[in-house]
Amino acid sequence: MKTITSTMTFCGLLAFSASALAEPTPSHLDQVLQQGELRVCTTGDYKPYTYKAESGEYEGIDIDMARSLATSLGVKVQWVQTSWKTLMPDMLAGKCDVGMGGISVTLERQKKAFFSSTLDVDGKIPLVRCEDQSRYQTIEQMNQPSVRLVEPAGGTNEAFVRAFLPKGQLAFHDNVTIFQELLEKRADVMITDASEALYQQKLKPGLCAVNPSRYLQYGEKAYLLPRDDTTWKMYVDQWLHLSKANGSYQKVIGQWLAVPAGQ
């Protein structure tokens, strides 16, 4: 019995030693540098952060910032098309080094991934036809069976509606042409982030952001990162900190939020 116990102990020590000597999983920082490309998951449907034009080119605040991050690493960008429903599965499947494009920080996402340091505070508000602003000021006014709500499937907008406006009629539409549903009176309210509501208000006369400084739900935006890779997160956070400190982040924001006439 003593011999068996000693043998088991010895085998256990060998296994522990082998585990201790095993090569650690390379950081995404090292992988990006070795492969010469930064894989960026983005939906391409959320102005002013990310938008895929008919030409196939991506543009927006976070698209410019993705290029800035790649430049800081001396690599090229590899865009990975995703959706709000598949963003987290794509991250967990190892398809992207970073998720960018107006991504809201949530505890559900935090369970499965890391976030960069906070970009901006940006809460949920209603976007409606200007003529109807007085009708949709509160949760109580919107949480009615007669109110037609429209949202892109997946993401935090749908989650908000399901949690706080369960009595409304919820329909889904793509996040590029969804605003026409409001203008053409096929829907009454879209719950979205204040930044998107204000941007679309400038782009599309007839749409108004309701109480853009009084959020129905507090929110923050950040970049989505693979979980447990602290080396990669530290690099992204430092790059973001310096981008804000030297004014380059603010410059990008200013370029996109100053909407050109006729756009």
Side-chain angles (χ1 to χ4, degrees):
M1 178 64 69
K2 183 176 180 181
T3 302
I4 293 174
T5 302
S6 299
T7 302
M8 291 177 65
T9 301
F10 178 71
C11 291
L13 288 171
L14 282 178
F16 176 79
S17 299
S19 176
L21 293 174
E23 288 292 326
T25 303
S27 168
H28 280 257
L29 175 59
D30 299 317
Q31 294 176 9
V32 168
L33 292 172
Q34 291 169 4
Q35 295 169 4
E37 68 177 23
L38 175 71
R39 298 170 303 161
V40 179
C41 278
T42 193
T43 62
D45 67 350
Y46 187 20
K47 290 182 177 181
Y49 299 99
T50 173
Y51 178 67
K52 189 175 183 180
E54 292 183 4
S55 64
E57 293 296 318
Y58 287 91
E59 57 185 37
I61 291 171
D62 285 342
I63 300 304
D64 287 349
M65 292 304 292
R67 293 189 175 107
S68 170
L69 177 57
T71 297
S72 77
L73 293 158
V75 301
K76 64 180 181 180
V77 176
Q78 176 63 48
W79 304 112
V80 180
Q81 178 70 50
T82 189
S83 69
W84 295 109
K85 273 191 171 183
T86 60
L87 174 61
M88 187 58 71
D90 285 345
M91 175 63 70
L92 295 177
K95 295 182 180 180
C96 35
D97 303 304
V98 59
M100 304 177 77
I103 298 171
S104 297
V105 176
T106 69
L107 291 178
E108 284 304 309
R109 286 171 174 163
Q110 186 76 64
K111 291 175 184 177
K112 302 173 183 178
F114 274 180
F115 282 103
S116 69
S117 56
T118 302
L119 294 163
D120 293 296
V121 174
D122 192 15
K124 300 296 183 190
I125 67 168
L127 179 66
V128 304
R129 290 180 296 277
C130 295
E131 64 200 63
D132 294 336
Q133 286 186 84
S134 62
R135 299 177 58 186
Y136 304 117
Q137 293 280 315
T138 67
I139 292 290
E140 291 73 23
Q141 287 177 308
M142 292 182 286
N143 191 29
Q144 301 293 333
S146 60
V147 177
R148 298 169 300 169
L149 302 152
V150 64
E151 303 293 344
T156 56
N157 293 347
E158 179 189 348
F160 180 94
V161 169
R162 292 194 180 281
F164 298 104
L165 306 173
K167 295 180 182 178
Q169 304 174 41
L170 176 59
F172 298 105
H173 203 80
D174 73 85
N175 207 39
V176 176
T177 61
I178 193 170
F179 309 102
Q180 287 302 122
E181 298 297 292
L182 295 172
L183 288 171
E184 296 178 14
K185 299 187 177 183
R186 291 190 290 265
D188 303 310
V189 177
M190 177 185 180
I191 298 295
T192 187
D193 295 320
S195 58
E196 180 177 45
L198 289 168
Y199 186 80
Q200 293 299 332
Q201 176 180 266
K202 291 182 179 180
L203 284 179
K204 296 178 173 60
L207 292 184
C208 282
V210 179
N211 302 323
S213 61
R214 287 164 42 197
Y215 305 141
L216 298 174
Q217 183 183 65
Y218 175 86
E220 296 179 348
K221 293 197 181 300
Y223 298 138
L224 195 66
L225 301 167
R227 199 179 79 169
D228 299 329
D229 191 341
T230 55
T231 299
W232 179 226
K233 173 175 164 54
M234 288 174 66
Y235 182 89
V236 174
D237 283 349
Q238 184 70 297
W239 158 79
L240 184 56
H241 164 71
L242 294 175
S243 296
K244 289 184 174 183
N246 64 28
S248 58
Y249 175 73
Q250 292 84 349
K251 183 178 179 180
V252 169
I253 293 288
Q255 289 173 340
W256 282 99
L257 293 185
V259 182
Q263 183 172 335

